[in-house]
Amino acid sequence: MTAHIYPKADATSQWFHTAYQGDTMAHPNVIVLHTTEGSSFPSYGGGGSAPTFTIKGGTVRQHFYANESARALVNAAGGVQTNTLNAIQIELVGTCDKGGPGLYWPDADDADLAALAELVKWLTDTYPIPVVSTSKPWLSYPSSYGSARGQRMSFAEWENFNGICGHQHVPENDHGDPGNFPIKRLIELVKGAKPSTGGSTAPSEPAAWDGKSFPGASAFVLGKSHPAVTVLGQRLVAHGYGRFYSVGPGPTFGQAEKDATQAFQKAQGWSGADADGYPGSSTWSRLMAAPATAAKTYLSLSTGVKPGAKHAQVKKLQTFLVKAGYGPIKGSVTDFYGAETQAAVARFHKKNPALSSKAYDPAIGSKGFVELQKEAE
């Protein structure tokens, strides 16, 4: 029996089959590639516009069974079927628009293509999908948008197509993703071509990276090395997330970096795809900023702390008075606000006349209690 869950997929984080069960496709024979035009896993409206798979770095999320129709294509009334026509859809986190968010897929190298090539290899081994590209051109964006430049299939071409195409090729759709995608190299890798990187994890600094600006999502792939990963780790430590490291930051993006980044993202108030542990440009920008200095908090004065009374907080009052130089207080530390404590508070007010209008004031007030703590630091 054919297994319709990719063995290397995360099929739990965004599994939409329950909410949007699609049609069973008896013989998937088409792969459609998309780009998300973002740097994080999209929410897809809870699944309403989700593809079959989404890839970010080395992570593959599966949203529906591979032989089940997905929902990322427009399917206009009165034309042809799109989502349900045996099409497996793969969204690639990143952009087809040069200068857009995340990885620019037309410039993807072998390391960037590795997870996609593995998935396509599994799909083409599992289903009757030939490892061939559409004969239509893979136009660069924005020329790829619309249908005026010969890249969009006719209804008949779509219904008879078997192989790999892009969103820009599907009829009834106008999107131009994934642009001038390196389809030839992808097919070579699927067919077993040796990766040009040789699988090395040795760090090598791309000439285009200036050592400071966001290097792109492709720098942060589990198991992949990049000098920006060291910088990422150093900034995470500076922001107080060093607890995730058993050894100091290094150039290889691993689970420690992912967990520390996710904790930082959640501390920004982000959630879901915005807190997935993979740095985007917003995460990078906030990490590069100086760590926020936590506001000093002080004890609030209890209403039960007053001359002649007993209260547990009187011990704190006496301690602060002595540390700030208003002692000695005979018999302290105790919970009794007696004559010695009152005299020390009066000495405090004498030094801080703005906190009391009386010549002799033995009763500490709420503002005076905070000021006393500051002086006792």
Side-chain angles (χ1 to χ4, degrees):
M1 180 179 179
T2 300
H4 302 293
I5 297 289
Y6 178 46
K8 295 186 178 182
D10 169 2
T12 57
S13 293
Q14 290 184 295
W15 181 246
F16 300 131
H17 166 80
T18 304
Y20 292 97
Q21 184 171 343
D23 295 338
T24 298
M25 302 184 299
H27 303 291
N29 54 29
V30 172
I31 293 173
V32 181
L33 301 179
H34 304 250
T35 47
T36 64
E37 302 309 307
S39 57
S40 301
F41 283 105
S43 67
Y44 297 121
S49 60
T52 320
F53 299 93
T54 303
I55 296 178
K56 179 179 180 181
T59 300
V60 179
R61 289 187 180 178
Q62 186 163 352
H63 310 299
F64 301 100
Y65 291 111
N67 68 332
E68 174 184 14
S69 61
R71 305 175 64 86
L73 293 169
V74 171
N75 188 17
V80 291
Q81 297 303 313
T82 56
N83 292 306
T84 60
L85 195 65
N86 294 317
I88 295 172
Q89 301 180 52
I90 304 173
E91 288 272 7
L92 306 171
V93 173
T95 184
C96 65
D97 187 6
K98 197 170 184 64
L103 174 63
Y104 179 54
W105 278 96
D107 283 351
D109 60 22
D110 285 4
D112 299 323
L113 293 168
L116 174 61
E118 283 192 84
L119 172 58
V120 172
K121 177 70 166 61
W122 180 80
L123 290 170
T124 53
D125 285 347
T126 304
Y127 303 107
I129 307 172
V131 189
V132 296
S133 168
T134 173
S135 60
K136 295 289 186 178
W138 294 72
L139 299 180
S140 59
Y141 186 85
S143 297
S144 57
Y145 189 84
S147 305
R149 295 172 180 83
Q151 85 283 12
R152 195 78 56 184
M153 294 184 201
S154 67
F155 288 178
E157 287 172 328
W158 170 248
E159 289 180 330
N160 290 288
F161 175 68
N162 295 330
I164 306 170
C165 68
H167 196 175
Q168 64 176 284
H169 302 121
V170 181
E172 297 184 353
N173 288 249
D174 56 13
H175 286 203
D177 54 306
N180 188 22
F181 182 83
I183 186 63
K184 180 180 178 180
R185 185 55 182 164
L186 173 64
I187 289 174
E188 289 173 347
L189 292 172
V190 172
K191 290 183 174 181
K194 184 178 180 180
S196 60
T197 59
S200 171
T201 58
S204 60
E205 183 171 355
W209 190 56
D210 60 10
K212 184 177 180 181
S213 59
F214 179 59
S218 61
F220 307 110
V221 177
L222 284 173
K224 182 177 178 179
S225 293
H226 191 287
V229 178
T230 302
V231 176
L232 171 75
Q234 292 169 343
R235 297 309 300 161
L236 285 166
V237 171
H239 281 264
Y241 296 87
R243 65 185 183 277
F244 290 91
Y245 290 91
S246 57
V247 181
T252 302
F253 189 77
Q255 197 62 45
E257 285 74 19
K258 185 175 182 292
D259 290 346
T261 299
Q262 185 174 51
F264 174 80
Q265 290 168 333
K266 288 182 177 179
Q268 311 309 302
W270 302 337
S271 61
D274 293 325
D276 60 4
Y278 291 97
S281 57
S282 296
T283 299
W284 184 266
S285 177
R286 294 202 183 188
L287 281 171
M288 291 305 107
T293 302
K296 178 72 175 180
T297 57
Y298 297 97
L299 288 174
S300 297
L301 183 68
S302 172
T303 55
V305 178
K306 47 191 172 184
K310 282 189 174 184
H311 193 281
Q313 200 178 63
V314 174
K315 295 178 181 180
K316 290 286 188 183
L317 172 61
Q318 293 170 347
T319 300
F320 295 144
L321 286 164
V322 172
K323 286 183 68 176
Y326 297 106
I329 302 176
K330 293 180 181 180
S332 64
V333 178
T334 177
D335 60 2
F336 179 56
Y337 198 146
E340 292 288 334
T341 303
Q342 295 175 43
V345 171
R347 290 192 289 271
F348 165 75
H349 282 137
K350 186 175 182 180
K351 183 184 175 183
N352 297 279
L355 295 172
S356 176
S357 59
K358 301 177 181 178
Y360 181 87
D361 189 352
I364 193 74
S366 57
K367 291 183 179 179
F369 192 54
V370 171
E371 177 59 32
L372 178 60
Q373 292 174 67
K374 293 178 181 179
E375 291 187 20
E377 290 177 344

